[in-house]
Amino acid sequence: MGGKELLPSTCTYADSLKYAGKCGEFLRRWVMGVVAGLCEVDEETARRVLRGAGEECCKIFLEVYGYDLSSQDLDSLIRLLGSSPNSGCYRVDEDTIIYEFKSERCECPLVEMGVAGLSSRLCSACFTNWLSYMFSTVTKRRVKAEFIESLATGASKCTFKIKLL
């Protein structure tokens, strides 16, 4: 194509962000844009998009708290998740579990760090993947986690239903 000969840049946009001290702001605004976009797509698409993010978040949670899923069975996982005064985890029937927890503020690190605003879409599309990963790893079964309520919906606690398939 006609025009001037282009020379390769030695300073990228990423470099410029670093030099300007804007990396944190860039990440915050980029993630906020993603979360806003997730609110514009259907629930199943949002869940597929955030599957890997939810699973990785769960893996970090397990590392931070020193939990080893390979040493758990379903009953011990239910006991573990319900063991603190602010959480409950119990079976409704053979294949259905309710997990709920109560906190003064959102437990999501993205919300707590100001990277994303309080959003029920993060609960329904990300944390459900978090729960599905944990329960499917322990049970070796397919799992579908369902968002019931959270602080983002104005509830006083966060509640999820886990269905073993």
Side-chain angles (χ1 to χ4, degrees), residues 80-97:
L80 176 68
L81 291 176
S83 64
S84 77
N86 72 321
S87 66
C89 193
Y90 55 91
R91 275 190 159 158
V92 174
D93 60 39
E94 190 63 27
D95 296 323
T96 308
I97 296 123

Side-chain angles (χ1 to χ4, degrees), residues 65 84-88 99-109 111-112 118 127 149-152 154-160:
Y65 288 95
S84 77
N86 72 321
S87 66
Y99 176 52
E100 56 189 2
F101 53 94
K102 191 168 189 169
S103 184
E104 291 180 0
R105 55 187 200 276
C106 183
E107 293 276 343
C108 177
V111 174
E112 182 66 17
L118 187 63
F127 194 66
E149 65 181 355
S150 74
L151 300 178
S156 64
K157 64 182 176 182
C158 302
T159 306
F160 297 83

Side-chain angles (χ1 to χ4, degrees), residues 41-114:
V41 299
D42 64 272
E43 186 69 29
E44 190 52 39
T45 300
R47 285 176 68 105
R48 282 195 320 265
V49 168
L50 291 183
R51 182 174 293 124
E55 291 176 359
E56 291 304 319
C57 181
C58 183
K59 290 174 187 176
I60 291 172
F61 169 87
L62 295 168
E63 289 174 22
V64 166
Y65 288 95
Y67 297 150
D68 178 11
L69 293 182
S70 67
S71 67
Q72 301 288 329
D73 62 18
L74 182 57
D75 290 331
S76 66
L77 178 60
I78 289 171
R79 279 192 305 277
L80 176 68
L81 291 176
S83 64
S84 77
N86 72 321
S87 66
C89 193
Y90 55 91
R91 275 190 159 158
V92 174
D93 60 39
E94 190 63 27
D95 296 323
T96 308
I97 296 123
I98 298 293
Y99 176 52
E100 56 189 2
F101 53 94
K102 191 168 189 169
S103 184
E104 291 180 0
R105 55 187 200 276
C106 183
E107 293 276 343
C108 177
L110 295 173
V111 174
E112 182 66 17
M113 290 185 260

